[in-house]
Amino acid sequence: MHHSHRLRKNEEFQAIFQKGKSAANKQFIVYSSLSGQAGYRIGISVSKKLGNAVVRNRVKRLIREACSRLEDKIQTGIDLIIIARPGTELMDFQSLCNSLQHAMKRAKVLNAQTLPKTHESHEKHDAKRG
């Protein structure tokens, strides 16, 4: 994810919290707000409840990598804040990607026509059926 796609200032975060919409799943909360810019911007928040600085920075790096893999699917002209919930630090990268994509779908910030159906999710779904 390019540096120009990052939200860093507290005022930017607060504006999105106040006027944006939120969606969540067990691992992430995603706030979204229209920005009117050409691209998109993402801010990441990881609480001290997840662990020490090493753990929090690892989670942020994984979230940034997951966002860069979803880059072509994220709508333009939107600002996002991704908040990691406790338990995220224990996830492997693929699970984190799938969970983040799910949270972004719930927030309706992904372009629907570009989303691939992941093979893994079908295997898990079939295994649950018995």
Side-chain angles (χ1 to χ4, degrees):
M1 179 169 49
H2 195 267
H3 292 288
S4 64
H5 291 170
R6 290 194 195 168
L7 291 170
R8 293 179 188 256
K9 296 183 179 174
N10 185 36
E11 300 87 46
E12 296 171 334
F13 273 75
Q14 294 305 318
I16 296 168
F17 286 138
Q18 289 173 1
K19 68 177 181 175
K21 295 181 179 178
S22 67
N25 62 11
K26 261 187 160 178
Q27 290 81 25
F28 297 103
I29 303 170
V30 177
Y31 284 87
S32 62
S33 175
L34 295 175
S35 67
Q37 295 186 352
Y40 66 89
R41 297 184 303 170
I42 295 178
I44 299 171
S45 176
V46 179
S47 169
K48 288 186 177 182
K49 292 178 185 177
L50 267 68
N52 62 16
V54 174
V55 172
R56 293 192 309 270
N57 286 330
R58 178 182 171 274
V59 170
K60 285 188 267 189
R61 281 194 311 272
L62 292 174
I63 292 171
R64 277 195 294 270
E65 178 60 27
C67 289
S68 68
R69 291 185 182 197
L70 291 171
E71 189 169 16
D72 57 333
K73 299 171 183 71
I74 298 173
Q75 294 176 8
T76 57
I78 200 162
D79 287 340
L80 299 172
I81 296 176
I82 299 169
I83 301 173
R85 288 183 160 173
T88 309
E89 73 280 6
L90 304 173
M91 298 174 73
D92 63 287
F93 181 67
Q94 189 59 45
S95 299
L96 186 137
C97 285
N98 291 339
S99 181
L100 183 59
Q101 183 172 341
H102 176 258
M104 287 180 157
K105 274 188 206 175
R106 290 187 66 148
K108 297 180 179 150
V109 296
L110 297 178
N111 297 321
Q113 68 272 16
T114 60
L115 289 176
K117 300 215 179 218
T118 58
H119 184 64
E120 280 187 23
S121 64
H122 291 297
E123 287 176 359
K124 288 179 186 176
H125 190 274
D126 291 340
K128 286 181 183 177
R129 282 194 229 168

